[in-house]
Amino acid sequence: MSLRPLRSMLYVPGDKPRAIEKALGLRPDAVILDLEDAVAPEHKAVARQNVREALKQRWTCPVLVRVNGLGTVWENDDREMALLAGVDGLVIPKVETAQSVRELQVRVPLWAMIETPTGVLGAASIAAVNGVAGLLVGANDLARALRTQPHPERLPLLGALSGVVLAARAAGKIPVDAVFNDVRDSGGFARECAQGRMLGFAGKTVIHPDQIGAANAAFGASAAVAAEAQALLDAWKAARAEGKSVGTYKGALIEQMHADEAAEILELWELDRSGE
Ligand code: COA
Ligand code: MG
């Protein structure tokens, strides 16, 4: 799964059959059928049934299930249902320790949500657990736990966001940015995607169909960026063919790392296009 781009991961509430049906026709890079925050306690059982049925459908992307938190009364039933139904991965909310995910011992990739202060502090060891594919930030819960105030550029959360990126990247895992709540504010969403990409996230969790395209664009490679990467790579190859250790592109120094970065962009571009 890690070879696929994960620019957009769409949360779909398990108690909204219409949204599940709608999601089948959308093209996010992954779907997360949610049994946790989006589902009220009295709807948990029916949501689990809906998700069981949904997992039988033909999806064009990996489908994950966000189970209820470790230690809740719903957690075991959620996990059992999802695994039996052939889910592609589990999203575990409010993970705080490596031990708690290690103990799960399931055969599908796990996505650990980092959304508490303790979770942020433990993110490096959580990311390092075998079977953890990536970390997802839960900014709503985190902001509440930290008692931060809202800020258009997420200034109060920057330390935590970067901490999650650092932890995931150090372990070779995938960091995915938090949701943006105002589904009508497309400008604000695009700005937050750009910020997330700048911080090092691989993609963004999204909550509405309208957010998928913008997330895919922000975290994918554009034709112009791919062309630029190809030109840099050509300049690098030419320099190396002449026996030079380093080269220049448009007057600026290029080294092996720049060539590697360009190759990665081209790979992403190919993957993005093959998924369209
Ligand atoms: N996945 C799939 N379809 C969705 C969707 C989602 N997350 N969110 C909305 N839709 C669908 C609606 O069903 C509706 O479809 P229809 O018009 O064909 O019936 C269409 O998109 C337009 O929805 P809209 O009316 O703009 O949204 P809303 O105002 O009803 O709901 C939210 C807004 C935020 C409540 C809703 O998008 C949502 O529940 N998102 C997911 C929340 C979630 O999962 N939270 C947990 C993680 S933080
Ligand atoms: Mg949460």
Side-chain angles (χ1 to χ4, degrees), residues 42-80:
E42 67 272 24
H43 297 155
K44 296 289 188 192
V46 69
R48 196 182 300 122
Q49 288 292 346
N50 292 342
V51 168
R52 188 201 311 272
E53 290 308 309
L55 287 168
K56 293 180 187 159
Q57 304 288 325
R58 284 178 66 87
W59 294 87
T60 54
C61 63
V63 182
L64 319 180
V65 169
R66 181 164 75 169
V67 296
N68 281 285
L70 302 171
T72 64
V73 293
W74 306 291
E75 171 222 344
N76 273 321
D77 289 346
D78 291 350
R79 200 164 58 235
E80 204 168 292

Side-chain angles (χ1 to χ4, degrees), residues 10-13 16 18-19 22-23 34 38 66 179 183 207-209:
L10 175 69
Y11 282 110
V12 184
K16 288 188 178 166
R18 172 69 201 137
K22 180 114 183 163
D34 190 23
R66 181 164 75 169
V179 303
V183 295
I207 53 170
H208 192 278

Side-chain angles (χ1 to χ4, degrees), residues 36-37 66 94 115 141:
E36 198 224 10
D37 282 346
R66 181 164 75 169
K94 298 194 177 68
E115 46 187 344
D141 279 296

Side-chain angles (χ1 to χ4, degrees), residues 88-90 92 101-102 105-112 126-134 173:
D88 295 317
L90 293 177
I92 314 294
V101 264
R102 211 176 286 123
Q105 300 207 344
V106 294
R107 286 182 308 278
V108 298
L110 295 174
W111 293 81
I126 294 165
V129 172
N130 268 339
V132 169
K173 308 296 174 68

Side-chain angles (χ1 to χ4, degrees), residues 10 22 26 182-186 189-190 193 206-216:
L10 175 69
K22 180 114 183 163
L26 301 170
D182 188 348
V183 295
R184 293 149 311 168
D185 180 6
S186 55
F189 180 71
C193 284
V206 303
I207 53 170
H208 192 278
D210 291 352
Q211 296 180 328
I212 296 170
N216 287 351

